[in-house]
Amino acid sequence: MDLEELSRVRRDLVDFSAQAFASFARRDQRFWGEVYLRGLMLDGERKSVEPMAARLPDGDRQSLQQFLTDSTWDPVPVRAAMARRMAELIEPEAVVFDDTGFPKCGNESAGVARQYTGSLGKTANCQVAVTTHLATDAASYPANWRLFLPEKGWDPLSPLCPDPAAVRARRSRCKIPEEVRHRQKWRLALDSLDELTAWGVQVPLALADAGYGDAFEFRQGLTDRALSYVVGVKADMAAQPASAQRCTPAYRGRGAPPKPAYPDKPVSVAALAADQKGAARKTVAWRTGTKHHGGKTRTLRSRFIAIRIRPAGDAVAKYYRGQDLPECWLLAEWPTGADAPVQFWLSNLPADTPIKTLVRWAKLRWRIEHDYREMKVGLGLDHFEGRTWRGFHHHITCVAVAHAFLTWLRLGKETAAA
């Protein structure tokens, strides 16, 4: 990049930053916000305050630290402005829910605990944040965030909390707002979705992995919000085949008359998919891969089965008590050479939806891996060294703004069109 182009990018960043941080009350907050963004995008292994301040020509460690951890600016208006701007820019086809972990030493950072995180693939001492992304095949943006607070160690009002006084003291040190309590990750995802809607960002399709899709309450929450969904589920999820019908057993003359019920017990979605004959497996291609083989990219394809089923289980049966269980799609990936299906999704898309469409939406979740890789490798998402609730949310909001700026540059938009 030559000096002229570098100067143009710098001017663009100043303009972009001014719009992103327009809600800030003070000029010095807007100035240090732009400096912090530059620090996140400069080369360097660590993107915490001290090494960034050392690299920046106008960096000041104390001022950057104050901007990040002590300044009272509200990250929500920043996220709202960026969500609206990026939704207009990338025209998202789906909203994708996921979560990511931040490894930590010690137990004093807000929300830290021994917990499983998919980003590490194991249980570790870490923070976990629920993320909400706007996505297409070509671009995506992490529009909203929720820091997960484990119930046992961070909610003093929970019956699982062994020492409420100690937890309250730890929360006070981390400056966690009094009203913030433990909420399941799927509830945080729905909260984030509702906030996006309040900001004026609406996307008709929701995608998530099995960590969310396995929760009936999450799927029903999407349905109640008039969203179509394609969500991962585990192989052992219980279901009835679509052909199953409730029937009323004969009355034997004792007790209350029997009520209509399904005559057979539900089975796993893996069993329903495995029962399908080989002819039901369709080879579907969904996109061109990013890896090159012999100078050429490879089209990604696999074999899939799509059948209609009725999800079951205690929560579903309770919600639909006295009614037929509703039908939905079960999509299963069964690669050539595999003895059984290896991945499963549920979808409430219409019954005439082509299998190619189901596969495309199921596989669109790959897009957010670009977000995580860019934010963690290039923008220092998990380099925040502070412990406070406010500092964590300030940092991840600034990382998201930096991600938005880079996405805007990649898509080749002129400054005047922003």
Side-chain angles (χ1 to χ4, degrees), residues 93-110:
E93 298 175 285
V95 58
V96 186
F97 301 103
D98 206 342
D99 50 73
T100 189
F102 305 86
K104 289 290 180 180
C105 297
N107 60 1
E108 287 297 313
S109 298

mmCIF file with all atom_site columns, all heavy atoms in Angstrom, residues 93-110:
data_model
loop_
_atom_site.group_PDB
_atom_site.id
_atom_site.type_symbol
_atom_site.label_atom_id
_atom_site.label_alt_id
_atom_site.label_comp_id
_atom_site.label_asym_id
_atom_site.label_entity_id
_atom_site.label_seq_id
_atom_site.pdbx_PDB_ins_code
_atom_site.Cartn_x
_atom_site.Cartn_y
_atom_site.Cartn_z
_atom_site.occupancy
_atom_site.B_iso_or_equiv
_atom_site.pdbx_formal_charge
_atom_site.auth_seq_id
_atom_site.auth_comp_id
_atom_site.auth_asym_id
_atom_site.auth_atom_id
_atom_site.pdbx_PDB_model_num
ATOM 1   N N   . GLU A 1 93  ? -28.908 -12.291 4.465  1.00 0.00 ? 93  GLU A N   1
ATOM 2   C CA  . GLU A 1 93  ? -29.955 -13.262 4.189  1.00 0.00 ? 93  GLU A CA  1
ATOM 3   C C   . GLU A 1 93  ? -30.357 -14.045 5.429  1.00 0.00 ? 93  GLU A C   1
ATOM 4   O O   . GLU A 1 93  ? -31.408 -14.685 5.451  1.00 0.00 ? 93  GLU A O   1
ATOM 5   C CB  . GLU A 1 93  ? -29.479 -14.237 3.109  1.00 0.00 ? 93  GLU A CB  1
ATOM 6   C CG  . GLU A 1 93  ? -29.163 -13.583 1.780  1.00 0.00 ? 93  GLU A CG  1
ATOM 7   C CD  . GLU A 1 93  ? -28.578 -14.576 0.799  1.00 0.00 ? 93  GLU A CD  1
ATOM 8   O OE1 . GLU A 1 93  ? -27.396 -14.945 0.948  1.00 0.00 ? 93  GLU A OE1 1
ATOM 9   O OE2 . GLU A 1 93  ? -29.315 -14.997 -0.125 1.00 0.00 ? 93  GLU A OE2 1
ATOM 10  N N   . ALA A 1 94  ? -29.500 -14.034 6.445  1.00 0.00 ? 94  ALA A N   1
ATOM 11  C CA  . ALA A 1 94  ? -29.777 -14.814 7.654  1.00 0.00 ? 94  ALA A CA  1
ATOM 12  C C   . ALA A 1 94  ? -29.106 -14.160 8.845  1.00 0.00 ? 94  ALA A C   1
ATOM 13  O O   . ALA A 1 94  ? -28.120 -13.433 8.712  1.00 0.00 ? 94  ALA A O   1
ATOM 14  C CB  . ALA A 1 94  ? -29.283 -16.253 7.492  1.00 0.00 ? 94  ALA A CB  1
ATOM 15  N N   . VAL A 1 95  ? -29.641 -14.446 10.015 1.00 0.00 ? 95  VAL A N   1
ATOM 16  C CA  . VAL A 1 95  ? -28.989 -14.095 11.270 1.00 0.00 ? 95  VAL A CA  1
ATOM 17  C C   . VAL A 1 95  ? -28.473 -15.405 11.866 1.00 0.00 ? 95  VAL A C   1
ATOM 18  O O   . VAL A 1 95  ? -29.190 -16.410 11.904 1.00 0.00 ? 95  VAL A O   1
ATOM 19  C CB  . VAL A 1 95  ? -29.954 -13.368 12.228 1.00 0.00 ? 95  VAL A CB  1
ATOM 20  C CG1 . VAL A 1 95  ? -31.176 -14.198 12.552 1.00 0.00 ? 95  VAL A CG1 1
ATOM 21  C CG2 . VAL A 1 95  ? -29.248 -12.959 13.513 1.00 0.00 ? 95  VAL A CG2 1
ATOM 22  N N   . VAL A 1 96  ? -27.210 -15.410 12.277 1.00 0.00 ? 96  VAL A N   1
ATOM 23  C CA  . VAL A 1 96  ? -26.550 -16.629 12.753 1.00 0.00 ? 96  VAL A CA  1
ATOM 24  C C   . VAL A 1 96  ? -26.181 -16.458 14.223 1.00 0.00 ? 96  VAL A C   1
ATOM 25  O O   . VAL A 1 96  ? -25.525 -15.475 14.591 1.00 0.00 ? 96  VAL A O   1
ATOM 26  C CB  . VAL A 1 96  ? -25.283 -16.944 11.931 1.00 0.00 ? 96  VAL A CB  1
ATOM 27  C CG1 . VAL A 1 96  ? -24.704 -18.290 12.365 1.00 0.00 ? 96  VAL A CG1 1
ATOM 28  C CG2 . VAL A 1 96  ? -25.595 -16.950 10.437 1.00 0.00 ? 96  VAL A CG2 1
ATOM 29  N N   . PHE A 1 97  ? -26.590 -17.422 15.047 1.00 0.00 ? 97  PHE A N   1
ATOM 30  C CA  . PHE A 1 97  ? -26.267 -17.398 16.476 1.00 0.00 ? 97  PHE A CA  1
ATOM 31  C C   . PHE A 1 97  ? -25.151 -18.403 16.765 1.00 0.00 ? 97  PHE A C   1
ATOM 32  O O   . PHE A 1 97  ? -25.166 -19.517 16.254 1.00 0.00 ? 97  PHE A O   1
ATOM 33  C CB  . PHE A 1 97  ? -27.500 -17.757 17.316 1.00 0.00 ? 97  PHE A CB  1
ATOM 34  C CG  . PHE A 1 97  ? -28.665 -16.840 17.098 1.00 0.00 ? 97  PHE A CG  1
ATOM 35  C CD1 . PHE A 1 97  ? -29.738 -17.238 16.310 1.00 0.00 ? 97  PHE A CD1 1
ATOM 36  C CD2 . PHE A 1 97  ? -28.696 -15.577 17.665 1.00 0.00 ? 97  PHE A CD2 1
ATOM 37  C CE1 . PHE A 1 97  ? -30.822 -16.396 16.101 1.00 0.00 ? 97  PHE A CE1 1
ATOM 38  C CE2 . PHE A 1 97  ? -29.773 -14.731 17.469 1.00 0.00 ? 97  PHE A CE2 1
ATOM 39  C CZ  . PHE A 1 97  ? -30.837 -15.139 16.680 1.00 0.00 ? 97  PHE A CZ  1
ATOM 40  N N   . ASP A 1 98  ? -24.226 -17.984 17.602 1.00 0.00 ? 98  ASP A N   1
ATOM 41  C CA  . ASP A 1 98  ? -23.134 -18.870 17.990 1.00 0.00 ? 98  ASP A CA  1
ATOM 42  C C   . ASP A 1 98  ? -22.562 -18.358 19.305 1.00 0.00 ? 98  ASP A C   1
ATOM 43  O O   . ASP A 1 98  ? -23.077 -17.394 19.881 1.00 0.00 ? 98  ASP A O   1
ATOM 44  C CB  . ASP A 1 98  ? -22.066 -18.900 16.899 1.00 0.00 ? 98  ASP A CB  1
ATOM 45  C CG  . ASP A 1 98  ? -21.264 -20.200 16.895 1.00 0.00 ? 98  ASP A CG  1
ATOM 46  O OD1 . ASP A 1 98  ? -21.292 -20.908 17.932 1.00 0.00 ? 98  ASP A OD1 1
ATOM 47  O OD2 . ASP A 1 98  ? -20.602 -20.505 15.899 1.00 0.00 ? 98  ASP A OD2 1
ATOM 48  N N   . ASP A 1 99  ? -21.504 -18.982 19.787 1.00 0.00 ? 99  ASP A N   1
ATOM 49  C CA  . ASP A 1 99  ? -20.794 -18.447 20.939 1.00 0.00 ? 99  ASP A CA  1
ATOM 50  C C   . ASP A 1 99  ? -19.317 -18.757 20.792 1.00 0.00 ? 99  ASP A C   1
ATOM 51  O O   . ASP A 1 99  ? -18.920 -19.667 20.061 1.00 0.00 ? 99  ASP A O   1
ATOM 52  C CB  . ASP A 1 99  ? -21.353 -18.989 22.260 1.00 0.00 ? 99  ASP A CB  1
ATOM 53  C CG  . ASP A 1 99  ? -21.496 -20.498 22.275 1.00 0.00 ? 99  ASP A CG  1
ATOM 54  O OD1 . ASP A 1 99  ? -20.458 -21.184 22.363 1.00 0.00 ? 99  ASP A OD1 1
ATOM 55  O OD2 . ASP A 1 99  ? -22.641 -20.994 22.207 1.00 0.00 ? 99  ASP A OD2 1
ATOM 56  N N   . THR A 1 100 ? -18.502 -17.983 21.480 1.00 0.00 ? 100 THR A N   1
ATOM 57  C CA  . THR A 1 100 ? -17.057 -18.144 21.385 1.00 0.00 ? 100 THR A CA  1
ATOM 58  C C   . THR A 1 100 ? -16.438 -17.937 22.751 1.00 0.00 ? 100 THR A C   1
ATOM 59  O O   . THR A 1 100 ? -16.975 -17.215 23.595 1.00 0.00 ? 100 THR A O   1
ATOM 60  C CB  . THR A 1 100 ? -16.459 -17.155 20.360 1.00 0.00 ? 100 THR A CB  1
ATOM 61  O OG1 . THR A 1 100 ? -15.088 -17.470 20.127 1.00 0.00 ? 100 THR A OG1 1
ATOM 62  C CG2 . THR A 1 100 ? -16.581 -15.715 20.829 1.00 0.00 ? 100 THR A CG2 1
ATOM 63  N N   . GLY A 1 101 ? -15.291 -18.592 22.984 1.00 0.00 ? 101 GLY A N   1
ATOM 64  C CA  . GLY A 1 101 ? -14.644 -18.551 24.280 1.00 0.00 ? 101 GLY A CA  1
ATOM 65  C C   . GLY A 1 101 ? -13.407 -17.674 24.291 1.00 0.00 ? 101 GLY A C   1
ATOM 66  O O   . GLY A 1 101 ? -12.753 -17.465 23.263 1.00 0.00 ? 101 GLY A O   1
ATOM 67  N N   . PHE A 1 102 ? -13.091 -17.143 25.490 1.00 0.00 ? 102 PHE A N   1
ATOM 68  C CA  . PHE A 1 102 ? -11.921 -16.303 25.705 1.00 0.00 ? 102 PHE A CA  1
ATOM 69  C C   . PHE A 1 102 ? -11.116 -16.904 26.854 1.00 0.00 ? 102 PHE A C   1
ATOM 70  O O   . PHE A 1 102 ? -11.506 -16.760 28.027 1.00 0.00 ? 102 PHE A O   1
ATOM 71  C CB  . PHE A 1 102 ? -12.341 -14.873 26.059 1.00 0.00 ? 102 PHE A CB  1
ATOM 72  C CG  . PHE A 1 102 ? -13.269 -14.246 25.046 1.00 0.00 ? 102 PHE A CG  1
ATOM 73  C CD1 . PHE A 1 102 ? -14.635 -14.444 25.115 1.00 0.00 ? 102 PHE A CD1 1
ATOM 74  C CD2 . PHE A 1 102 ? -12.759 -13.464 24.023 1.00 0.00 ? 102 PHE A CD2 1
ATOM 75  C CE1 . PHE A 1 102 ? -15.492 -13.876 24.185 1.00 0.00 ? 102 PHE A CE1 1
ATOM 76  C CE2 . PHE A 1 102 ? -13.605 -12.889 23.087 1.00 0.00 ? 102 PHE A CE2 1
ATOM 77  C CZ  . PHE A 1 102 ? -14.977 -13.097 23.162 1.00 0.00 ? 102 PHE A CZ  1
ATOM 78  N N   . PRO A 1 103 ? -10.040 -17.610 26.586 1.00 0.00 ? 103 PRO A N   1
ATOM 79  C CA  . PRO A 1 103 ? -9.258  -18.231 27.665 1.00 0.00 ? 103 PRO A CA  1
ATOM 80  C C   . PRO A 1 103 ? -8.763  -17.193 28.662 1.00 0.00 ? 103 PRO A C   1
ATOM 81  O O   . PRO A 1 103 ? -8.341  -16.095 28.280 1.00 0.00 ? 103 PRO A O   1
ATOM 82  C CB  . PRO A 1 103 ? -8.087  -18.878 26.915 1.00 0.00 ? 103 PRO A CB  1
ATOM 83  C CG  . PRO A 1 103 ? -8.567  -19.032 25.505 1.00 0.00 ? 103 PRO A CG  1
ATOM 84  C CD  . PRO A 1 103 ? -9.478  -17.888 25.251 1.00 0.00 ? 103 PRO A CD  1
ATOM 85  N N   . LYS A 1 104 ? -8.800  -17.541 29.938 1.00 0.00 ? 104 LYS A N   1
ATOM 86  C CA  . LYS A 1 104 ? -8.392  -16.619 31.000 1.00 0.00 ? 104 LYS A CA  1
ATOM 87  C C   . LYS A 1 104 ? -7.591  -17.357 32.062 1.00 0.00 ? 104 LYS A C   1
ATOM 88  O O   . LYS A 1 104 ? -7.823  -18.545 32.331 1.00 0.00 ? 104 LYS A O   1
ATOM 89  C CB  . LYS A 1 104 ? -9.615  -15.971 31.657 1.00 0.00 ? 104 LYS A CB  1
ATOM 90  C CG  . LYS A 1 104 ? -10.352 -14.955 30.782 1.00 0.00 ? 104 LYS A CG  1
ATOM 91  C CD  . LYS A 1 104 ? -9.526  -13.700 30.604 1.00 0.00 ? 104 LYS A CD  1
ATOM 92  C CE  . LYS A 1 104 ? -10.228 -12.683 29.743 1.00 0.00 ? 104 LYS A CE  1
ATOM 93  N NZ  . LYS A 1 104 ? -9.416  -11.462 29.577 1.00 0.00 ? 104 LYS A NZ  1
ATOM 94  N N   . CYS A 1 105 ? -6.668  -16.619 32.687 1.00 0.00 ? 105 CYS A N   1
ATOM 95  C CA  . CYS A 1 105 ? -6.001  -17.114 33.880 1.00 0.00 ? 105 CYS A CA  1
ATOM 96  C C   . CYS A 1 105 ? -6.686  -16.486 35.094 1.00 0.00 ? 105 CYS A C   1
ATOM 97  O O   . CYS A 1 105 ? -7.096  -15.337 35.051 1.00 0.00 ? 105 CYS A O   1
ATOM 98  C CB  . CYS A 1 105 ? -4.520  -16.731 33.877 1.00 0.00 ? 105 CYS A CB  1
ATOM 99  S SG  . CYS A 1 105 ? -3.578  -17.462 32.523 1.00 0.00 ? 105 CYS A SG  1
ATOM 100 N N   . GLY A 1 106 ? -6.822  -17.240 36.157 1.00 0.00 ? 106 GLY A N   1
ATOM 101 C CA  . GLY A 1 106 ? -7.467  -16.703 37.346 1.00 0.00 ? 106 GLY A CA  1
ATOM 102 C C   . GLY A 1 106 ? -8.980  -16.748 37.255 1.00 0.00 ? 106 GLY A C   1
ATOM 103 O O   . GLY A 1 106 ? -9.559  -17.233 36.275 1.00 0.00 ? 106 GLY A O   1
ATOM 104 N N   . ASN A 1 107 ? -9.653  -16.215 38.279 1.00 0.00 ? 107 ASN A N   1
ATOM 105 C CA  . ASN A 1 107 ? -11.112 -16.308 38.343 1.00 0.00 ? 107 ASN A CA  1
ATOM 106 C C   . ASN A 1 107 ? -11.779 -14.972 38.636 1.00 0.00 ? 107 ASN A C   1
ATOM 107 O O   . ASN A 1 107 ? -12.890 -14.927 39.124 1.00 0.00 ? 107 ASN A O   1
ATOM 108 C CB  . ASN A 1 107 ? -11.533 -17.329 39.411 1.00 0.00 ? 107 ASN A CB  1
ATOM 109 C CG  . ASN A 1 107 ? -11.035 -16.940 40.798 1.00 0.00 ? 107 ASN A CG  1
ATOM 110 O OD1 . ASN A 1 107 ? -10.390 -15.906 40.982 1.00 0.00 ? 107 ASN A OD1 1
ATOM 111 N ND2 . ASN A 1 107 ? -11.336 -17.789 41.774 1.00 0.00 ? 107 ASN A ND2 1
ATOM 112 N N   . GLU A 1 108 ? -11.090 -13.861 38.308 1.00 0.00 ? 108 GLU A N   1
ATOM 113 C CA  . GLU A 1 108 ? -11.627 -12.549 38.646 1.00 0.00 ? 108 GLU A CA  1
ATOM 114 C C   . GLU A 1 108 ? -12.224 -11.798 37.467 1.00 0.00 ? 108 GLU A C   1
ATOM 115 O O   . GLU A 1 108 ? -12.853 -10.755 37.655 1.00 0.00 ? 108 GLU A O   1
ATOM 116 C CB  . GLU A 1 108 ? -10.534 -11.691 39.296 1.00 0.00 ? 108 GLU A CB  1
ATOM 117 C CG  . GLU A 1 108 ? -10.191 -12.116 40.716 1.00 0.00 ? 108 GLU A CG  1
ATOM 118 C CD  . GLU A 1 108 ? -11.362 -11.968 41.681 1.00 0.00 ? 108 GLU A CD  1
ATOM 119 O OE1 . GLU A 1 108 ? -12.018 -10.903 41.661 1.00 0.00 ? 108 GLU A OE1 1
ATOM 120 O OE2 . GLU A 1 108 ? -11.637 -12.916 42.434 1.00 0.00 ? 108 GLU A OE2 1
ATOM 121 N N   . SER A 1 109 ? -12.052 -12.266 36.239 1.00 0.00 ? 109 SER A N   1
ATOM 122 C CA  . SER A 1 109 ? -12.664 -11.598 35.089 1.00 0.00 ? 109 SER A CA  1
ATOM 123 C C   . SER A 1 109 ? -14.158 -11.897 35.048 1.00 0.00 ? 109 SER A C   1
ATOM 124 O O   . SER A 1 109 ? -14.590 -12.999 35.396 1.00 0.00 ? 109 SER A O   1
ATOM 125 C CB  . SER A 1 109 ? -12.006 -12.065 33.794 1.00 0.00 ? 109 SER A CB  1
ATOM 126 O OG  . SER A 1 109 ? -10.634 -11.727 33.765 1.00 0.00 ? 109 SER A OG  1
ATOM 127 N N   . ALA A 1 110 ? -14.943 -10.930 34.621 1.00 0.00 ? 110 ALA A N   1
ATOM 128 C CA  . ALA A 1 110 ? -16.400 -11.076 34.597 1.00 0.00 ? 110 ALA A CA  1
ATOM 129 C C   . ALA A 1 110 ? -16.810 -12.317 33.813 1.00 0.00 ? 110 ALA A C   1
ATOM 130 O O   . ALA A 1 110 ? -16.439 -12.479 32.649 1.00 0.00 ? 110 ALA A O   1
ATOM 131 C CB  . ALA A 1 110 ? -17.039 -9.835  33.982 1.00 0.00 ? 110 ALA A CB  1
#
